[in-house]
Amino acid sequence: MTMIERRSLLAGAAAAPVLAGWTRRRAKAQAANTIRVALLCDFSGTYRDVTGPTELACIRQAAAEFNATGMNVEVVFADNQNRPDVGSNVTRTWIDRDGVDAVVDGGASSVALAVNDIVREKNKVFLNTSSATSDLTGRACSPNTVHWTYDTWMLARSTGGATVKAGGDAWFFITADYAFGHALERDTANFVKAQGGRVLGQVRTPFPGTTDFSSFLVQAVAARPKVIGLANAGSDTVNCIKQASEFGLGRRGIRLASLLMFLPDVHAIGLSTAQGLICTETFYWDLNDRTRAFKAKMRPQVSVPLCMNHAGGYAAVLHYLKAAADMGVAAAKASGAETVARMKAMPCDDDCFGPGRIREDGRKLHPAYLFQVKSPEESRGEWDYYKLLQTTPGEDAFRPMSEGGCAFVRS
Amino acid sequence: MDDIFGIPAPLLFGQLLLGLINGAFYAMLSLGLAVIFGLLNIVNMAHGAQFMMGAFAAWMLLAWFGIGYWWALLLAPIIIAITGIILERLLISRLYKLDHLYGLLLTFGLALIIEGVFRNEFGSSGLPYRIPDALSGAWDLGFMFMPVYRGWVVIAALVLCLATWLIIEKTRLGAYLRAATENAALVQAFGVNVPRMVTLTYGFGVALAAVGGVLAAPIYSVNPQMGSNLIIVVFATVVIGGMGSILGAILTGFTLGVVEGLTKVFWPEASATVIFVIMAIVLLARPAGLFGRA
């Protein structure tokens, strides 16, 4: 090594700490003006398509729209692997080490309930956009949480209610054996019974890891129900519907109630098998000009059909950022509960869900749409899968606050 | 109606039959694994991914080239076997002299990569694949509705399993293969091209996984996780049957399918665990497996 090289090396070594200190100071100054939003959901398993990369694209879209206004929004993400322990660890690391201000989604209900507790303990914000359990605004409600997109009570009322009304009054449930499945079964069973229907039985299927549902379908048929309620989601629902059609359930007059089905699921099943099924979502790209504009905006960035969870990620983050901008970034970073309180005080309006509001218990209120899956002949183009059957206004679609049992609302 | 343990007999028969159908998949997949392990000493963790590739190959043939189910049943295994042969030549063949663990890690890594690529390309919620017209519909057996397609799966699996067993146990080619596992150098000295035979054996094992994938495509959602959901159970099957035992893999596959099916009736929540409980018991009582040689 020649002298000159060594000298320049030494000079460089001396300069390094100075440079590092400078960038660190600059980063610190920037951090004070930066909102960090973190998406936690399934990126590799059965719920990947209904959340995952597509939801990430939607959240980045919301962040980009805000970055344009001069606020600095950073988006990070992680795979929860549908496991509460993984979700909890990631959330703690994000908040304790990485300075995350808001956790978005949470994913599977079991994970979401764990994240819910941590975010409350750390006084950050939890924008839940794809978990189903209505307990998030019931016994597990938190002043730091907004439950945006849908919940099991709403699905039970919309899909379950419509099915009972159409004569399906004897039910058997095929239930995913964890928090979400139990909540969806419970809420639907309550509805069925309240409307004079009967629940003949249920079978709890291991989650994750069940691919063959034929055995459970045969058990269900043996109970002679009029309706088999699918209290599951993602590829579990897809497999159930495919296999029910294989075992000729429809021909024997037994209806399937897909209590939670998303547009990507319909895409996966195919219209020839899925046609005629009913399901409930709070967003569909072809509802009105604003939703169509949202699709047009997102289409180049996504590969799976947009569903309500994706839209929920966009809309919840957008509203959160509006509140943060309104109260100032520093104040928003200081207290999650204050930020959520501001979100509740501000009326919501976005392209996906239209005007709405967030109730005191953290429940976002917007209309619920009951859809029927089109036949292959009726479908005219890309993602054209749903016919709108019925709209329930936001104030009626969700469980009344008085029935939820949310502790901090009563006090 | 007669009850057996509080369950109506017809329902129980139905469940036995369904268990047998799932057992057909377990048998077919564990057979491929057993062939590969028995002759190559490689624990092929990529087997689930190759099963999934078989299903995707069937879907691609239909969606991209309009080639239907019956041709897919022939072509998909050939295509996937070729990819397997390439893998064996490029990577796996370098590990024969090392400990089993290296092969396990390599194929496990390959499985993760393959699944990741398919997930990125096709998403996770799956793709539709229809039951071929000739096999759609169902028989009414009195005690249950039996889809024609499921019956076909059992028959196809039985024929494949039996044929494989015959080839390996009763033909001259099978004798070469078995001899090569005992003493490769000696067999080579007799003028048999052992490396080529080993490569083709791996291709054959992979083809078995791919056939399973094509058979599964119309029943299960064709998605990148479909293999990883099955593979753990299939490994348990191979371990219970005895590593490398062809007959053990086949019999255990069908038996475990039935046991799992019955568990789904009596204690559904435990149906994902029961096979591993059996595996633990078998390993304690007979570490070499039910049909394995200690």
Side-chain angles (χ1 to χ4, degrees):
Chain A
M1 192 185 279
T2 64
M3 206 53 199
I4 297 165
E5 272 175 331
R6 194 183 300 163
R7 195 177 296 154
S8 58
L9 252 177
L10 285 172
V18 181
L19 203 69
W22 180 69
T23 46
R24 205 176 300 144
R25 264 199 301 281
R26 204 180 65 153
K28 214 170 175 184
Q30 209 170 21
N33 189 37
T34 299
I35 291 279
R36 271 206 186 90
V37 175
L39 171 65
L40 178 71
C41 63
D42 184 357
F43 275 85
S44 60
T46 170
Y47 300 151
R48 177 189 183 274
D49 281 3
V50 298
T51 55
T54 309
E55 188 174 7
L56 181 63
C58 291
I59 288 172
R60 285 197 168 133
Q61 176 67 34
E65 287 172 19
F66 250 84
N67 277 333
T69 67
M71 201 160 115
N72 202 12
V73 186
E74 272 181 29
V75 179
V76 295
F77 64 96
D79 184 1
N80 68 13
Q81 299 173 35
N82 291 324
R83 282 165 53 190
D85 53 333
V86 173
S88 302
N89 281 339
V90 169
T91 306
R92 281 185 195 283
T93 315
W94 270 344
I95 295 175
D96 292 342
R97 197 192 68 192
D98 303 341
V100 160
D101 303 298
V103 178
V104 187
D105 202 345
S109 290
S110 46
V111 185
L113 289 168
V115 171
N116 188 47
D117 290 341
I118 298 169
V119 171
R120 183 178 193 173
E121 173 199 321
K122 308 270 184 191
N123 195 19
K124 297 295 176 186
V125 175
F126 184 26
L127 306 171
N128 186 296
T129 54
S130 86
S131 312
T133 179
S134 57
D135 290 347
L136 280 170
T137 53
R139 62 172 178 79
C141 75
S142 149
N144 296 69
T145 297
V146 175
H147 196 189
W148 193 277
T149 312
Y150 69 97
D151 67 23
T152 49
W153 196 94
M154 175 281 263
L155 297 171
R157 181 199 151 102
S158 179
T159 311
T163 310
V164 177
K165 216 174 277 170
D169 56 358
W171 285 59
F172 189 98
F173 287 99
I174 294 181
T175 305
D177 192 17
Y178 76 108
F180 148 68
H182 299 173
L184 186 51
E185 181 198 313
R186 175 198 65 204
D187 287 346
T188 312
N190 286 341
F191 253 101
V192 170
K193 287 179 204 154
Q195 297 194 12
R198 287 172 306 143
V199 175
L200 304 174
Q202 67 280 319
V203 57
R204 302 267 164 89
T205 66
F207 174 89
T210 306
T211 44
D212 185 60
F213 288 87
S214 56
S215 167
F216 304 121
L217 288 165
V218 169
Q219 285 181 54
V221 170
R224 298 182 192 284
K226 288 186 189 164
V227 178
I228 296 178
L230 303 180
N232 51 24
S235 51
D236 285 358
T237 304
V238 173
N239 274 328
C240 272
I241 293 170
K242 272 187 113 168
Q243 290 162 18
S245 129
E246 194 194 342
F247 278 78
L249 262 58
R251 272 170 287 162
R252 280 189 284 175
I254 298 174
R255 299 178 55 181
L256 280 185
S258 41
L259 295 168
L260 178 52
M261 190 165 69
F262 302 97
L263 203 61
D265 298 330
V266 175
H267 187 71
I269 299 164
L271 289 185
S272 57
T273 305
Q275 60 180 312
L277 286 171
I278 59 169
C279 66
T280 301
E281 292 209 55
T282 52
F283 165 84
Y284 176 49
W285 65 271
D286 202 12
L287 281 172
N288 54 49
D289 288 343
R290 292 181 79 181
T291 56
R292 282 186 284 271
F294 180 72
K295 182 204 167 188
K297 189 162 65 179
M298 292 309 301
R299 185 63 189 96
Q301 306 169 49
V302 301
S303 56
V304 293
L306 290 166
C307 71
M308 59 176 168
N309 295 337
H310 308 136
Y314 169 80
V317 169
L318 201 65
H319 189 65
Y320 164 72
L321 294 176
K322 280 180 193 166
D326 188 50
M327 64 198 288
V329 171
K333 291 177 82 73
S335 166
E338 290 294 317
T339 315
V340 169
R342 183 65 65 100
M343 288 175 74
K344 289 172 185 169
M346 294 168 64
C348 310
D349 191 23
D350 57 73
D351 282 352
C352 303
F353 299 92
R357 71 180 177 100
I358 302 170
R359 211 165 56 180
E360 205 182 342
D361 59 355
R363 178 68 256 163
K364 164 78 195 317
L365 301 178
H366 42 230
Y369 306 101
L370 183 73
F371 295 109
Q372 184 165 39
V373 177
K374 288 183 171 177
S375 67
E377 298 75 39
E378 289 169 306
S379 176
R380 306 213 173 279
E382 186 192 52
W383 305 353
D384 180 24
Y385 298 150
Y386 286 161
K387 290 188 281 229
L388 181 63
L389 293 183
Q390 168 192 313
T391 306
T392 314
E395 299 290 333
D396 302 330
F398 293 91
R399 180 177 60 201
M401 205 153 54
S402 57
E403 291 173 24
C406 173
F408 75 83
V409 170
R410 269 180 301 183
S411 61
Chain B
M1 204 185 293
D2 291 328
D3 281 12
I4 301 170
F5 302 123
I7 306 284
L11 181 58
L12 208 59
F13 290 142
Q15 296 297 344
L16 282 173
L17 201 60
L18 290 173
L20 214 58
I21 297 164
N22 282 338
F25 281 108
Y26 295 159
M28 218 168 356
L29 285 177
S30 53
L31 176 66
L33 273 182
V35 167
I36 292 172
F37 181 79
L39 302 173
L40 280 74
N41 262 335
I42 287 285
V43 180
N44 186 30
M45 289 295 280
H47 215 66
Q50 282 151 343
F51 165 79
M52 176 270 287
M53 285 165 79
F56 268 94
W59 178 84
M60 287 173 200
L61 285 171
L62 185 66
W64 297 350
F65 306 105
I67 297 171
Y69 178 83
W70 299 106
W71 278 106
L73 208 52
L74 181 73
L75 291 176
I78 293 175
I79 296 166
I80 306 305
I82 291 171
T83 66
I85 286 170
I86 294 170
L87 276 185
E88 197 273 344
R89 276 294 86 202
L90 284 181
L91 300 168
I92 297 171
S93 59
R94 295 166 201 275
L95 302 177
Y96 292 141
K97 291 198 173 63
L98 300 174
D99 191 78
H100 292 331
L101 263 182
Y102 290 89
L104 189 150
L105 286 174
L106 171 72
T107 49
F108 183 58
L110 286 172
L112 291 180
I113 292 169
I114 294 169
E115 278 174 15
V117 167
F118 274 83
R119 199 181 293 129
N120 266 354
E121 206 53 43
F122 299 100
S124 69
S125 48
L127 302 160
Y129 193 87
R130 289 190 56 183
I131 293 176
D133 289 337
L135 297 173
S136 61
W139 295 303
D140 196 348
L141 302 181
F143 59 91
M144 71 170 288
F145 229 52
M146 172 75 178
V148 176
Y149 189 80
R150 299 249 173 175
W152 152 248
V153 167
V154 176
I155 294 166
L158 272 175
V159 168
L160 267 176
C161 289
L162 208 65
T164 308
W165 179 76
L166 281 174
I167 290 172
I168 291 180
E169 298 291 334
K170 304 289 172 200
T171 65
R172 180 170 286 263
L173 177 68
Y176 285 154
L177 283 170
R178 282 177 290 131
T181 54
E182 295 292 328
N183 192 335
L186 196 62
V187 175
Q188 197 140 20
F190 281 118
V192 177
N193 186 342
V194 173
R196 192 206 289 162
M197 202 162 72
V198 166
T199 304
L200 290 177
T201 306
Y202 186 76
F204 177 71
V206 171
L208 277 177
V211 175
V214 180
L215 287 174
I219 307 183
Y220 303 130
S221 144
V222 178
N223 69 47
Q225 308 87 268
M226 64 189 291
S228 51
N229 288 337
L230 266 175
I231 193 70
I232 305 294
V233 173
V234 171
F235 264 103
T237 312
V238 175
V239 171
I240 295 170
M243 292 294 286
S245 162
I246 308 282
L247 198 63
I250 298 171
L251 290 178
T252 318
F254 280 102
T255 314
L256 287 183
V258 171
V259 171
E260 192 191 48
L262 291 180
T263 317
K264 282 178 175 168
V265 186
F266 291 107
W267 192 11
E269 290 89 337
S271 58
T273 342
V274 63
I275 288 178
F276 303 102
V277 175
I278 296 174
M279 180 176 86
I281 295 169
V282 167
L283 284 180
L284 284 174
R286 275 183 72 101
L290 293 177
F291 298 85
R293 278 170 299 170

